[in-house]
mmCIF file of all heavy atoms in Angstrom:
data_model
loop_
_atom_site.group_PDB
_atom_site.id
_atom_site.type_symbol
_atom_site.label_atom_id
_atom_site.label_comp_id
_atom_site.label_asym_id
_atom_site.label_seq_id
_atom_site.Cartn_x
_atom_site.Cartn_y
_atom_site.Cartn_z
ATOM 1 N N MET A 1 51.883 9.097 23.289
ATOM 2 C CA MET A 1 51.898 9.725 21.987
ATOM 3 C C MET A 1 51.144 11.054 22.093
ATOM 4 O O MET A 1 50.028 11.098 22.589
ATOM 5 C CB MET A 1 51.231 8.797 20.968
ATOM 6 C CG MET A 1 51.222 9.351 19.579
ATOM 7 S SD MET A 1 50.629 8.186 18.342
ATOM 8 C CE MET A 1 52.005 7.076 18.237
ATOM 9 N N ALA A 2 51.725 12.122 21.603
ATOM 10 C CA ALA A 2 51.151 13.456 21.696
ATOM 11 C C ALA A 2 50.340 13.797 20.440
ATOM 12 O O ALA A 2 50.480 13.148 19.400
ATOM 13 C CB ALA A 2 52.260 14.483 21.894
ATOM 14 N N ARG A 3 49.529 14.838 20.522
ATOM 15 C CA ARG A 3 48.688 15.276 19.412
ATOM 16 C C ARG A 3 49.510 15.552 18.152
ATOM 17 O O ARG A 3 49.129 15.127 17.060
ATOM 18 C CB ARG A 3 47.917 16.527 19.819
ATOM 19 C CG ARG A 3 46.967 17.020 18.766
ATOM 20 C CD ARG A 3 46.277 18.294 19.143
ATOM 21 N NE ARG A 3 45.518 18.168 20.367
ATOM 22 C CZ ARG A 3 44.605 19.037 20.771
ATOM 23 N NH1 ARG A 3 44.342 20.104 20.055
ATOM 24 N NH2 ARG A 3 43.964 18.862 21.911
ATOM 25 N N SER A 4 50.625 16.261 18.287
ATOM 26 C CA SER A 4 51.452 16.578 17.117
ATOM 27 C C SER A 4 52.003 15.313 16.462
ATOM 28 O O SER A 4 52.109 15.236 15.240
ATOM 29 C CB SER A 4 52.586 17.527 17.496
ATOM 30 O OG SER A 4 53.417 16.935 18.470
ATOM 31 N N ASP A 5 52.330 14.298 17.272
ATOM 32 C CA ASP A 5 52.800 13.016 16.728
ATOM 33 C C ASP A 5 51.693 12.322 15.934
ATOM 34 O O ASP A 5 51.947 11.730 14.888
ATOM 35 C CB ASP A 5 53.276 12.089 17.844
ATOM 36 C CG ASP A 5 54.470 12.637 18.606
ATOM 37 O OD1 ASP A 5 55.293 13.338 17.980
ATOM 38 O OD2 ASP A 5 54.563 12.380 19.820
ATOM 39 N N VAL A 6 50.467 12.394 16.437
ATOM 40 C CA VAL A 6 49.331 11.764 15.763
ATOM 41 C C VAL A 6 49.076 12.450 14.425
ATOM 42 O O VAL A 6 48.874 11.794 13.403
ATOM 43 C CB VAL A 6 48.068 11.794 16.648
ATOM 44 C CG1 VAL A 6 46.864 11.240 15.896
ATOM 45 C CG2 VAL A 6 48.295 11.021 17.934
ATOM 46 N N ILE A 7 49.111 13.773 14.399
ATOM 47 C CA ILE A 7 48.893 14.510 13.153
ATOM 48 C C ILE A 7 49.974 14.172 12.137
ATOM 49 O O ILE A 7 49.681 13.934 10.957
ATOM 50 C CB ILE A 7 48.812 16.023 13.427
ATOM 51 C CG1 ILE A 7 47.528 16.324 14.204
ATOM 52 C CG2 ILE A 7 48.856 16.813 12.123
ATOM 53 C CD1 ILE A 7 47.407 17.732 14.704
ATOM 54 N N ASP A 8 51.237 14.107 12.574
ATOM 55 C CA ASP A 8 52.327 13.723 11.671
ATOM 56 C C ASP A 8 52.095 12.320 11.109
ATOM 57 O O ASP A 8 52.295 12.072 9.914
ATOM 58 C CB ASP A 8 53.675 13.781 12.381
ATOM 59 C CG ASP A 8 54.133 15.193 12.668
ATOM 60 O OD1 ASP A 8 53.622 16.142 12.031
ATOM 61 O OD2 ASP A 8 55.013 15.353 13.535
ATOM 62 N N LEU A 9 51.669 11.404 11.961
ATOM 63 C CA LEU A 9 51.395 10.030 11.544
ATOM 64 C C LEU A 9 50.240 9.987 10.540
ATOM 65 O O LEU A 9 50.323 9.306 9.515
ATOM 66 C CB LEU A 9 51.059 9.186 12.782
ATOM 67 C CG LEU A 9 51.104 7.689 12.671
ATOM 68 C CD1 LEU A 9 52.489 7.208 12.270
ATOM 69 C CD2 LEU A 9 50.697 7.059 14.000
ATOM 70 N N LEU A 10 49.179 10.747 10.808
ATOM 71 C CA LEU A 10 48.033 10.799 9.898
ATOM 72 C C LEU A 10 48.421 11.345 8.533
ATOM 73 O O LEU A 10 47.889 10.910 7.509
ATOM 74 C CB LEU A 10 46.931 11.679 10.496
ATOM 75 C CG LEU A 10 46.086 11.053 11.599
ATOM 76 C CD1 LEU A 10 45.338 12.119 12.378
ATOM 77 C CD2 LEU A 10 45.132 10.024 11.020
ATOM 78 N N LYS A 11 49.348 12.273 8.491
ATOM 79 C CA LYS A 11 49.780 12.856 7.221
ATOM 80 C C LYS A 11 50.639 11.894 6.404
ATOM 81 O O LYS A 11 50.798 12.074 5.207
ATOM 82 C CB LYS A 11 50.548 14.158 7.468
ATOM 83 C CG LYS A 11 49.649 15.284 7.924
ATOM 84 C CD LYS A 11 50.448 16.542 8.181
ATOM 85 C CE LYS A 11 49.541 17.678 8.629
ATOM 86 N NZ LYS A 11 50.303 18.903 8.909
ATOM 87 N N ARG A 12 51.186 10.857 7.069
ATOM 88 C CA ARG A 12 52.066 9.899 6.392
ATOM 89 C C ARG A 12 51.391 8.596 6.033
ATOM 90 O O ARG A 12 51.762 7.942 5.064
ATOM 91 C CB ARG A 12 53.281 9.600 7.274
ATOM 92 C CG ARG A 12 54.268 10.718 7.414
ATOM 93 C CD ARG A 12 55.574 10.267 8.047
ATOM 94 N NE ARG A 12 55.433 9.327 9.142
ATOM 95 C CZ ARG A 12 55.387 9.665 10.438
ATOM 96 N NH1 ARG A 12 55.471 10.919 10.798
ATOM 97 N NH2 ARG A 12 55.282 8.737 11.355
ATOM 98 N N GLU A 13 50.443 8.139 6.844
ATOM 99 C CA GLU A 13 49.900 6.796 6.645
ATOM 100 C C GLU A 13 48.472 6.662 7.142
ATOM 101 O O GLU A 13 47.882 7.619 7.637
ATOM 102 C CB GLU A 13 50.787 5.772 7.355
ATOM 103 C CG GLU A 13 50.937 6.024 8.841
ATOM 104 C CD GLU A 13 52.010 5.154 9.470
ATOM 105 O OE1 GLU A 13 53.192 5.383 9.202
ATOM 106 O OE2 GLU A 13 51.624 4.241 10.228
ATOM 107 N N ILE A 14 47.933 5.451 7.034
ATOM 108 C CA ILE A 14 46.598 5.137 7.540
ATOM 109 C C ILE A 14 46.748 4.716 9.001
ATOM 110 O O ILE A 14 47.619 3.923 9.351
ATOM 111 C CB ILE A 14 45.949 4.028 6.691
ATOM 112 C CG1 ILE A 14 45.711 4.564 5.274
ATOM 113 C CG2 ILE A 14 44.657 3.548 7.323
ATOM 114 C CD1 ILE A 14 45.220 3.546 4.294
ATOM 115 N N VAL A 15 45.887 5.269 9.848
ATOM 116 C CA VAL A 15 46.015 5.120 11.291
ATOM 117 C C VAL A 15 44.692 4.634 11.882
ATOM 118 O O VAL A 15 43.620 5.017 11.419
ATOM 119 C CB VAL A 15 46.381 6.495 11.917
ATOM 120 C CG1 VAL A 15 46.509 6.401 13.418
ATOM 121 C CG2 VAL A 15 47.659 7.040 11.308
#
Side-chain angles (χ1 to χ4, degrees):
M1 181 173 287
R3 183 183 301 195
S4 60
D5 297 328
V6 175
I7 291 172
D8 289 341
L9 196 60
L10 283 163
K11 288 179 180 179
R12 289 192 320 266
E13 58 190 70
I14 294 174
V15 179

